[in-house]
């Protein structure tokens, strides 16, 4: 019973706690997602600042290139001098209005660098992408892309006087600055890839180790179209395959490149941990509260039991005190009975009747006291088994004999059908107490039936005794409950004549001896079946 | 008669200063000469022109040109321990040699870059040294980024009157950012246009010598293979001897070949060949050291006794002593004879030696390429052939340097596989670059 109660009380504590925990976890997660998102937005903003730095570099470069391409003459010698002088320039070319190549010269000796340029630039020079600047909607066949800056209307690229031409070759993205001259010619400047990468690196921040709070630690990476790191800064070393906290593409012309922001995941997770710590503390407080409540309910629900226990304890002690005087009373009643036998029949008839009542009632009283003491012992698990060879029927007869006067008085007829005469290993005291309790109940509650039938039968190793009355019987709902201590079918005062521990004692004693007491279905009244483990004593006695 | 004509035609044409007032002693010496000033007649043939430039003697170290130097140190994990300690020691020793007019910056890199000392006039040496002392190692190798940041620092005080030099020390392979020899070479070429040279120092056996030599070569810098970190101080000092003895920079050789003379290639330096025009740029000339460009040309058949103009050479350079842009010019002619003996007799030994050195160098590069393909036997054959070629010519011209190279080639031929290869390959690359660049390699005094 107690175990069941503990489970229920445990559930009362755990279920709400689990619910709180689940809700709390969801809340924390939601909060974290939100914070993470805000954080991501913040980092993306930072990356956009960096992107502006990079875009600024290209704007500046473009401006400088505009100045630089204000060439006095477009003859081969000046253009070569231009390439020789400009550190950022890899090669330069000039297209005639009709797309014809003016420089590098096709009809004069070219140097190795120009030769290489013609070789690698052939796709877009042949395709005349740059000549068809007007056709911005049409994708270029050579895979290049044009970014015009001067025109407010992207589609009307005819107005474009200068811009970037992006083209993938060799190790990746290459940049060509183009400019449409007033003459209609187009001058193109191929930038040295390694150089503008180095310049960007020069523009971007370095890693600063000193005076940096761990929370501010980060790693920003500039990655190219192939996701290779071109440059990075910051003290955080992201793990292999780690996802960046924020990532943005660069503005044109490097729009296939990306910026990535990594933060120290551990430092970030620490924030999440504190949220979980708060949740955990809240759960602990709620758990303590719920547990207190559960303990309160538990104490309330067991108060009755405890009170009854106190009662039993009290009665137990009192019973001990009563035992000695009662024994004396019975002893002297017996002596008195012997004395009365010596007296005149007529004179003694009255006192003998009264004495009979005294003897019978003191017997009842001593059974009651015995019950209480046994119950207390059972509760403390102090009952010892005293098994001796004996016959079940003899014990039954002894008990019937003792009950006969009282039963006769209430008009109950005891019928006994003996069937267990074998010599068996038996705790006669326990069996006696079981039967006394069953018969007491018949006497108390089933007197109206006016009959009780006891049947004993022997089976190998077992003895079955049934005690059936014809009284009011017991409701099916109460079939098991009657075996619980202090349970009574009716709490009406006039109905009570006991503490409600008899059946509990009977069952516990029977179980102690490898058996049981059950209420078995019967047509009328109540029918109890006592099942005892009784191994044969003969086989043991005659080895 | 014929001889006297040839001799007079093959005379070195005196360098003429257009600077005007500057004294002769503080002029770079231009020396244009042909391997064979007299050629066999009636025959189309190829020959070599050597354009030699020798730096004048710096009067005193007090008069040296101020430098703008950036030391870029690899502090990746592999540098930890003795390497980084020695590198710091070497950098500190170098800083101590500089003066208040000089500009210094220190950049370190691992996975990322830190500018430890931004470009600044060296007025407070001790604070710079203190910052160098704080450098500690750990991380990957973002070499490209280190060079980029270093270049940005130098650019802050870019000045034609200063020696602009980056000194890059690395012991490992670049693994963050651009990392191919061609990309680093492109960056080097771009820096060269600004007058910034990069000297690359490879420490130990794990760096990428192709990348490091390419960067040095394209920016007209030196390359050094440093096997032992304990030599770092000495090698930094050796490098600074060069840096502190620059007498001229931004040297441009502009050569016009006469009609009919076909330029084939320059043997040792990058050049731009636009038809008859050949342009060669050298970044820096050191005191009393010669740098040269060796050009291979094709000369059409000539008639006996005929003399033919070969080329006009113009040189411009920034004189670091006078802070002026000086110009030199020269021209060269060739004579024709029918006597083989005379051709030999009149041959210019110095040019011949340079030719042998550069031809052997090209073959040495070929041996490296063969070995890279796994053709050890082929590489060995080339090197042994080179040994014979160098030895023969060393004896013919009585030249110690060629003899030394012959021995180098033989040693290399014996170390093409096994554990010595990594070391050997780095030595080969160092040697190849030094010969192209007329760089004096540091020789440990106690060796031999």
């Amino acid at each position: 019973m107690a175990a069941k109660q503990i489970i229920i009380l445990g559930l009362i504590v755990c279920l709400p706690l689990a619910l709180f925990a689940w809700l709390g976890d969801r809340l924390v997660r939601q909060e974290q997602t939100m914070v993470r998102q805000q954080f991501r937005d913040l980092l993306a903003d930072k990356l956009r600042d960096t992107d502006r730095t990079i875009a600024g570099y290209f704007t500046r470069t473009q401006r400088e290139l505009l100045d630089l391409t204000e060439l006095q003459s477009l003859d081969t010698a000046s253009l070569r001098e231009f390439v020789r002088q400009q550190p950022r320039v890899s090669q330069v070319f000039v297209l005639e209005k009709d797309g014809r190549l003016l420089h590098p010269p096709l009809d004069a000796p070219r140097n190795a660098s120009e030769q290489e340029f013609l070789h690698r630039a052939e796709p877009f020079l042949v395709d005349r992408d740059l000549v068809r600047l007007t056709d911005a909607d049409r994708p270029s066949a050579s895979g290049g892309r044009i970014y015009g800056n001067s025109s407010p209307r992207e589609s009307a690229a005819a107005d474009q006087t200068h811009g970037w031409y992006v083209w993938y070759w060799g190790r990746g993205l290459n940049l060509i600055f183009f400019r449409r001259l007033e003459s209609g010619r187009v001058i193109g400047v191929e930038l040295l890839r390694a150089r503008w990468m180095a310049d960007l690196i020069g523009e971007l921040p370095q890693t600063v180790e000193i005076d940096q709070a761990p929370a501010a630690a980060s790693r920003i990476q500039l990655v190219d179209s192939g996701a290779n790191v071109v440059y990075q800064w910051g003290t955080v070393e992201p793990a292999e395959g780690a996802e960046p906290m924020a990532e943005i593409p660069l503005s044109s012309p490097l729009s296939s490149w990306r910026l990535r922001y990594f933060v120290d995941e551990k430092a970030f997770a620490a924030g999440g941990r504190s949220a979980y710590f708060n949740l955990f503390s809240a759960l602990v407080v709620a758990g303590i509260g719920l547990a207190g409540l559960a303990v309160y309910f538990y104490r309330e629900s067991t108060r009755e039991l405890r009170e009854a226990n106190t009662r039993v304890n009290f009665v137990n002690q009192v019973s001990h005190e009563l035992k000695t005087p009662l024994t004396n009373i019975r002893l002297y009643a017996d002596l008195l009975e012997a004395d009365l036998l010596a007296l005149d029949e007529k004179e003694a008839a009255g006192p003998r009747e009264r004495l009979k009542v005294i003897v019978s009632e003191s017997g009842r009283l001593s059974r009651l006291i015995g019950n209480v003491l046994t119950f207390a012992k059972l509760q403390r698990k102090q009952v010892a088994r005293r098994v001796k060879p004996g016959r079940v029927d003899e014990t039954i007869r002894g008990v019937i004999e003792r009950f006969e006067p009282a039963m006769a008085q209430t008009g109950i007829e005891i019928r006994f059908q003996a069937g267990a005469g074998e010599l068996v290993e038996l705790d006669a005291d326990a069996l006696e107490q079981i039967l006394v309790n069953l018969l007491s109940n018949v006497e108390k509650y089933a007197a109206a039936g006016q009959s009780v039938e006891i049947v004993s039968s022997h089976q190998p190793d077992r003895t079955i005794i049934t005690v059936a009355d014809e009284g009011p019987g017991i409701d099916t709902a109460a079939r098991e409950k009657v075996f619980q201590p202090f349970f009574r079918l009716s709490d009406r005062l006039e109905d009570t004549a006991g503490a409600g521990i008899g059946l509990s004692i009977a069952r516990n004693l029977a179980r102690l001896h490898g058996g049981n007491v059950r209420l078995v279905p019967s047509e009328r009244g109540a029918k109890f079946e006592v099942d005892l483990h009784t191994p044969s004593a003969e086989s043991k006695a005659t080895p | 008669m014929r001889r006297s004509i040839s001799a007079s035609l093959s005379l070195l044409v005196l360098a003429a200063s257009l600077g005007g007032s500057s004294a002769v002693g503080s002029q770079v010496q231009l020396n244009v000469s042909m391997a064979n000033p007299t050629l066999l007649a009636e025959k189309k043939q190829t020959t070599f022109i050597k354009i030699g430039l020798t730096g004048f003697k710096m009067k005193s170290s007090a008069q040296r040109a101020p430098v703008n130097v950036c030391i870029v140190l690899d502090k990746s994990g592999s540098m930890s321990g003795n390497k980084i300690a020695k590198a710091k020691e070497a950098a500190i020793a170098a800083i101590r040699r500089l003066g208040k007019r000089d500009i210094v910056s220190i950049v370190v890199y691992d996975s990322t870059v830190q500018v430890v000392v931004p470009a600044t006039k060296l007025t407070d040496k001790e604070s710079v040294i203190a910052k160098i002392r704080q450098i500690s190692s750990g991380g990957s190798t973002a070499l490209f980024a280190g060079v980029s940041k270093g270049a940005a620092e130098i650019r802050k005080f870019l000045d034609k009157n200063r020696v602009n030099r980056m000194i890059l020390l690395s012991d490992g392979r670049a693994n963050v950012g651009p990392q191919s020899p061609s990309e680093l070479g492109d960056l080097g070429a771009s820096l060269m246009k600004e007058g910034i040279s990069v000297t690359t120092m490879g420490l130990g056996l794990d760096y990428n010598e192709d990348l490091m030599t390419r960067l040095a070569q394209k920016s007209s810098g030196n390359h050094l293979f440093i096997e032992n970190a304990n030599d770092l101080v000495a090698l930094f000092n050796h490098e600074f001897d060069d840096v502190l003895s620059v007498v001229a920079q931004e040297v441009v050789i502009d050569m016009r070949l006469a009609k009919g003379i076909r330029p084939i290639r320059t043997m040792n330096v990058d050049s731009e060949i636009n038809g008859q025009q050949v342009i060669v740029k050298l970044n820096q000339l050191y005191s009393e050291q010669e740098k040269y460009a060796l050009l291979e040309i094709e000369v059409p058949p000539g008639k006996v006794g005929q003399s033919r103009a070969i080329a006009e050479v113009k040189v411009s350079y920034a004189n670091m002593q006078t802070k002026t842009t000086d110009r030199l010019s020269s021209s060269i002619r060739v004579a024709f004879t029918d006597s083989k003996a005379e051709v030999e007799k009149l041959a210019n030994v110095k040019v011949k030696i340079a030719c042998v050195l550069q031809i052997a160098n090209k073959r040495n590069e070929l041996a490296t390429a063969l070995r890279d393909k796994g053709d050890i036997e082929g590489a060995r054959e080339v090197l042994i052939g080179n040994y014979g070629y160098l030895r023969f010519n060393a004896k013919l011209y009585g030249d110690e340097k060629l003899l030394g190279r012959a021995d180098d080639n033989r040693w290399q031929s014996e170390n093409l596989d096994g554990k010595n290869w990594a070391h050997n390959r780095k030595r080969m690359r160092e040697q190849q670059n030094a010969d192209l660049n007329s760089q004096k390699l540091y020789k440990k005094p106690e060796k031999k």
Side-chain angles (χ1 to χ4, degrees), chain A residues 488-501:
Chain A
R488 284 181 308 215
L489 281 170
S490 163
D491 271 338
R492 273 186 294 154
L493 208 59
E494 56 268 32
D495 284 350
T496 61
I501 56 175

mmCIF file with all atom_site columns, all heavy atoms in Angstrom, chain A residues 488-501:
data_model
loop_
_atom_site.group_PDB
_atom_site.id
_atom_site.type_symbol
_atom_site.label_atom_id
_atom_site.label_alt_id
_atom_site.label_comp_id
_atom_site.label_asym_id
_atom_site.label_entity_id
_atom_site.label_seq_id
_atom_site.pdbx_PDB_ins_code
_atom_site.Cartn_x
_atom_site.Cartn_y
_atom_site.Cartn_z
_atom_site.occupancy
_atom_site.B_iso_or_equiv
_atom_site.pdbx_formal_charge
_atom_site.auth_seq_id
_atom_site.auth_comp_id
_atom_site.auth_asym_id
_atom_site.auth_atom_id
_atom_site.pdbx_PDB_model_num
ATOM 1   N N   . ARG A 1 488 ? -13.804 -1.958 8.351  1.00 0.00 ? 488 ARG A N   1
ATOM 2   C CA  . ARG A 1 488 ? -15.061 -2.573 8.780  1.00 0.00 ? 488 ARG A CA  1
ATOM 3   C C   . ARG A 1 488 ? -16.120 -2.281 7.759  1.00 0.00 ? 488 ARG A C   1
ATOM 4   O O   . ARG A 1 488 ? -16.125 -1.221 7.153  1.00 0.00 ? 488 ARG A O   1
ATOM 5   C CB  . ARG A 1 488 ? -15.474 -2.041 10.159 1.00 0.00 ? 488 ARG A CB  1
ATOM 6   C CG  . ARG A 1 488 ? -14.624 -2.690 11.256 1.00 0.00 ? 488 ARG A CG  1
ATOM 7   C CD  . ARG A 1 488 ? -15.025 -2.207 12.605 1.00 0.00 ? 488 ARG A CD  1
ATOM 8   N NE  . ARG A 1 488 ? -15.039 -0.764 12.629 1.00 0.00 ? 488 ARG A NE  1
ATOM 9   C CZ  . ARG A 1 488 ? -14.696 -0.062 13.711 1.00 0.00 ? 488 ARG A CZ  1
ATOM 10  N NH1 . ARG A 1 488 ? -14.337 -0.684 14.819 1.00 0.00 ? 488 ARG A NH1 1
ATOM 11  N NH2 . ARG A 1 488 ? -14.760 1.225  13.703 1.00 0.00 ? 488 ARG A NH2 1
ATOM 12  N N   . LEU A 1 489 ? -17.004 -3.268 7.610  1.00 0.00 ? 489 LEU A N   1
ATOM 13  C CA  . LEU A 1 489 ? -18.037 -3.085 6.587  1.00 0.00 ? 489 LEU A CA  1
ATOM 14  C C   . LEU A 1 489 ? -18.978 -1.965 6.948  1.00 0.00 ? 489 LEU A C   1
ATOM 15  O O   . LEU A 1 489 ? -19.513 -1.285 6.089  1.00 0.00 ? 489 LEU A O   1
ATOM 16  C CB  . LEU A 1 489 ? -18.814 -4.380 6.399  1.00 0.00 ? 489 LEU A CB  1
ATOM 17  C CG  . LEU A 1 489 ? -18.077 -5.411 5.546  1.00 0.00 ? 489 LEU A CG  1
ATOM 18  C CD1 . LEU A 1 489 ? -18.806 -6.736 5.612  1.00 0.00 ? 489 LEU A CD1 1
ATOM 19  C CD2 . LEU A 1 489 ? -17.956 -4.936 4.123  1.00 0.00 ? 489 LEU A CD2 1
ATOM 20  N N   . SER A 1 490 ? -19.173 -1.741 8.231  1.00 0.00 ? 490 SER A N   1
ATOM 21  C CA  . SER A 1 490 ? -20.056 -0.664 8.648  1.00 0.00 ? 490 SER A CA  1
ATOM 22  C C   . SER A 1 490 ? -19.417 0.055  9.817  1.00 0.00 ? 490 SER A C   1
ATOM 23  O O   . SER A 1 490 ? -18.766 -0.576 10.659 1.00 0.00 ? 490 SER A O   1
ATOM 24  C CB  . SER A 1 490 ? -21.405 -1.216 9.067  1.00 0.00 ? 490 SER A CB  1
ATOM 25  O OG  . SER A 1 490 ? -22.097 -0.264 9.824  1.00 0.00 ? 490 SER A OG  1
ATOM 26  N N   . ASP A 1 491 ? -19.554 1.356  9.787  1.00 0.00 ? 491 ASP A N   1
ATOM 27  C CA  . ASP A 1 491 ? -18.988 2.128  10.883 1.00 0.00 ? 491 ASP A CA  1
ATOM 28  C C   . ASP A 1 491 ? -20.067 2.478  11.922 1.00 0.00 ? 491 ASP A C   1
ATOM 29  O O   . ASP A 1 491 ? -19.812 3.254  12.844 1.00 0.00 ? 491 ASP A O   1
ATOM 30  C CB  . ASP A 1 491 ? -18.320 3.399  10.351 1.00 0.00 ? 491 ASP A CB  1
ATOM 31  C CG  . ASP A 1 491 ? -16.865 3.112  10.014 1.00 0.00 ? 491 ASP A CG  1
ATOM 32  O OD1 . ASP A 1 491 ? -16.319 2.138  10.575 1.00 0.00 ? 491 ASP A OD1 1
ATOM 33  O OD2 . ASP A 1 491 ? -16.285 3.842  9.177  1.00 0.00 ? 491 ASP A OD2 1
ATOM 34  N N   . ARG A 1 492 ? -21.242 1.907  11.682 1.00 0.00 ? 492 ARG A N   1
ATOM 35  C CA  . ARG A 1 492 ? -22.296 2.224  12.669 1.00 0.00 ? 492 ARG A CA  1
ATOM 36  C C   . ARG A 1 492 ? -21.892 1.658  14.027 1.00 0.00 ? 492 ARG A C   1
ATOM 37  O O   . ARG A 1 492 ? -21.427 0.516  14.120 1.00 0.00 ? 492 ARG A O   1
ATOM 38  C CB  . ARG A 1 492 ? -23.642 1.649  12.225 1.00 0.00 ? 492 ARG A CB  1
ATOM 39  C CG  . ARG A 1 492 ? -24.404 2.611  11.293 1.00 0.00 ? 492 ARG A CG  1
ATOM 40  C CD  . ARG A 1 492 ? -25.765 2.092  11.006 1.00 0.00 ? 492 ARG A CD  1
ATOM 41  N NE  . ARG A 1 492 ? -25.677 0.850  10.240 1.00 0.00 ? 492 ARG A NE  1
ATOM 42  C CZ  . ARG A 1 492 ? -26.633 -0.074 10.272 1.00 0.00 ? 492 ARG A CZ  1
ATOM 43  N NH1 . ARG A 1 492 ? -27.679 0.082  11.052 1.00 0.00 ? 492 ARG A NH1 1
ATOM 44  N NH2 . ARG A 1 492 ? -26.510 -1.173 9.546  1.00 0.00 ? 492 ARG A NH2 1
ATOM 45  N N   . LEU A 1 493 ? -22.109 2.455  15.033 1.00 0.00 ? 493 LEU A N   1
ATOM 46  C CA  . LEU A 1 493 ? -21.592 2.124  16.346 1.00 0.00 ? 493 LEU A CA  1
ATOM 47  C C   . LEU A 1 493 ? -22.170 0.806  16.875 1.00 0.00 ? 493 LEU A C   1
ATOM 48  O O   . LEU A 1 493 ? -21.446 -0.041 17.409 1.00 0.00 ? 493 LEU A O   1
ATOM 49  C CB  . LEU A 1 493 ? -21.920 3.259  17.334 1.00 0.00 ? 493 LEU A CB  1
ATOM 50  C CG  . LEU A 1 493 ? -20.948 3.400  18.491 1.00 0.00 ? 493 LEU A CG  1
ATOM 51  C CD1 . LEU A 1 493 ? -19.547 3.663  18.010 1.00 0.00 ? 493 LEU A CD1 1
ATOM 52  C CD2 . LEU A 1 493 ? -21.411 4.460  19.453 1.00 0.00 ? 493 LEU A CD2 1
ATOM 53  N N   . GLU A 1 494 ? -23.482 0.628  16.634 1.00 0.00 ? 494 GLU A N   1
ATOM 54  C CA  . GLU A 1 494 ? -24.120 -0.561 17.194 1.00 0.00 ? 494 GLU A CA  1
ATOM 55  C C   . GLU A 1 494 ? -23.651 -1.846 16.511 1.00 0.00 ? 494 GLU A C   1
ATOM 56  O O   . GLU A 1 494 ? -23.794 -2.937 17.018 1.00 0.00 ? 494 GLU A O   1
ATOM 57  C CB  . GLU A 1 494 ? -25.667 -0.480 17.112 1.00 0.00 ? 494 GLU A CB  1
ATOM 58  C CG  . GLU A 1 494 ? -26.205 -0.264 15.733 1.00 0.00 ? 494 GLU A CG  1
ATOM 59  C CD  . GLU A 1 494 ? -26.385 1.209  15.421 1.00 0.00 ? 494 GLU A CD  1
ATOM 60  O OE1 . GLU A 1 494 ? -25.593 2.028  15.934 1.00 0.00 ? 494 GLU A OE1 1
ATOM 61  O OE2 . GLU A 1 494 ? -27.286 1.560  14.686 1.00 0.00 ? 494 GLU A OE2 1
ATOM 62  N N   . ASP A 1 495 ? -23.081 -1.656 15.307 1.00 0.00 ? 495 ASP A N   1
ATOM 63  C CA  . ASP A 1 495 ? -22.625 -2.841 14.588 1.00 0.00 ? 495 ASP A CA  1
ATOM 64  C C   . ASP A 1 495 ? -21.231 -3.289 15.019 1.00 0.00 ? 495 ASP A C   1
ATOM 65  O O   . ASP A 1 495 ? -20.798 -4.380 14.699 1.00 0.00 ? 495 ASP A O   1
ATOM 66  C CB  . ASP A 1 495 ? -22.561 -2.556 13.067 1.00 0.00 ? 495 ASP A CB  1
ATOM 67  C CG  . ASP A 1 495 ? -23.954 -2.553 12.473 1.00 0.00 ? 495 ASP A CG  1
ATOM 68  O OD1 . ASP A 1 495 ? -24.872 -2.957 13.212 1.00 0.00 ? 495 ASP A OD1 1
ATOM 69  O OD2 . ASP A 1 495 ? -24.099 -2.154 11.301 1.00 0.00 ? 495 ASP A OD2 1
ATOM 70  N N   . THR A 1 496 ? -20.538 -2.390 15.651 1.00 0.00 ? 496 THR A N   1
ATOM 71  C CA  . THR A 1 496 ? -19.141 -2.720 15.891 1.00 0.00 ? 496 THR A CA  1
ATOM 72  C C   . THR A 1 496 ? -18.953 -3.524 17.151 1.00 0.00 ? 496 THR A C   1
ATOM 73  O O   . THR A 1 496 ? -19.533 -3.244 18.181 1.00 0.00 ? 496 THR A O   1
ATOM 74  C CB  . THR A 1 496 ? -18.284 -1.463 16.009 1.00 0.00 ? 496 THR A CB  1
ATOM 75  O OG1 . THR A 1 496 ? -18.769 -0.723 17.108 1.00 0.00 ? 496 THR A OG1 1
ATOM 76  C CG2 . THR A 1 496 ? -18.306 -0.660 14.744 1.00 0.00 ? 496 THR A CG2 1
ATOM 77  N N   . ALA A 1 497 ? -18.134 -4.496 17.016 1.00 0.00 ? 497 ALA A N   1
ATOM 78  C CA  . ALA A 1 497 ? -17.750 -5.255 18.181 1.00 0.00 ? 497 ALA A CA  1
ATOM 79  C C   . ALA A 1 497 ? -16.340 -5.783 17.956 1.00 0.00 ? 497 ALA A C   1
ATOM 80  O O   . ALA A 1 497 ? -16.043 -6.931 18.180 1.00 0.00 ? 497 ALA A O   1
ATOM 81  C CB  . ALA A 1 497 ? -18.720 -6.414 18.410 1.00 0.00 ? 497 ALA A CB  1
ATOM 82  N N   . GLY A 1 498 ? -15.514 -4.946 17.518 1.00 0.00 ? 498 GLY A N   1
ATOM 83  C CA  . GLY A 1 498 ? -14.128 -5.376 17.299 1.00 0.00 ? 498 GLY A CA  1
ATOM 84  C C   . GLY A 1 498 ? -13.307 -4.259 16.710 1.00 0.00 ? 498 GLY A C   1
ATOM 85  O O   . GLY A 1 498 ? -13.848 -3.220 16.333 1.00 0.00 ? 498 GLY A O   1
ATOM 86  N N   . ALA A 1 499 ? -12.031 -4.507 16.640 1.00 0.00 ? 499 ALA A N   1
ATOM 87  C CA  . ALA A 1 499 ? -11.129 -3.469 16.138 1.00 0.00 ? 499 ALA A CA  1
ATOM 88  C C   . ALA A 1 499 ? -10.980 -3.538 14.625 1.00 0.00 ? 499 ALA A C   1
ATOM 89  O O   . ALA A 1 499 ? -10.394 -2.658 14.021 1.00 0.00 ? 499 ALA A O   1
ATOM 90  C CB  . ALA A 1 499 ? -9.772  -3.618 16.791 1.00 0.00 ? 499 ALA A CB  1
ATOM 91  N N   . GLY A 1 500 ? -11.482 -4.634 14.032 1.00 0.00 ? 500 GLY A N   1
ATOM 92  C CA  . GLY A 1 500 ? -11.357 -4.744 12.573 1.00 0.00 ? 500 GLY A CA  1
ATOM 93  C C   . GLY A 1 500 ? -10.011 -5.285 12.170 1.00 0.00 ? 500 GLY A C   1
ATOM 94  O O   . GLY A 1 500 ? -9.503  -4.963 11.108 1.00 0.00 ? 500 GLY A O   1
ATOM 95  N N   . ILE A 1 501 ? -9.440  -6.126 13.031 1.00 0.00 ? 501 ILE A N   1
ATOM 96  C CA  . ILE A 1 501 ? -8.124  -6.656 12.684 1.00 0.00 ? 501 ILE A CA  1
ATOM 97  C C   . ILE A 1 501 ? -8.142  -8.177 12.548 1.00 0.00 ? 501 ILE A C   1
ATOM 98  O O   . ILE A 1 501 ? -7.120  -8.779 12.173 1.00 0.00 ? 501 ILE A O   1
ATOM 99  C CB  . ILE A 1 501 ? -7.057  -6.237 13.725 1.00 0.00 ? 501 ILE A CB  1
ATOM 100 C CG1 . ILE A 1 501 ? -7.474  -6.676 15.108 1.00 0.00 ? 501 ILE A CG1 1
ATOM 101 C CG2 . ILE A 1 501 ? -6.817  -4.750 13.658 1.00 0.00 ? 501 ILE A CG2 1
ATOM 102 C CD1 . ILE A 1 501 ? -6.422  -6.420 16.177 1.00 0.00 ? 501 ILE A CD1 1
#
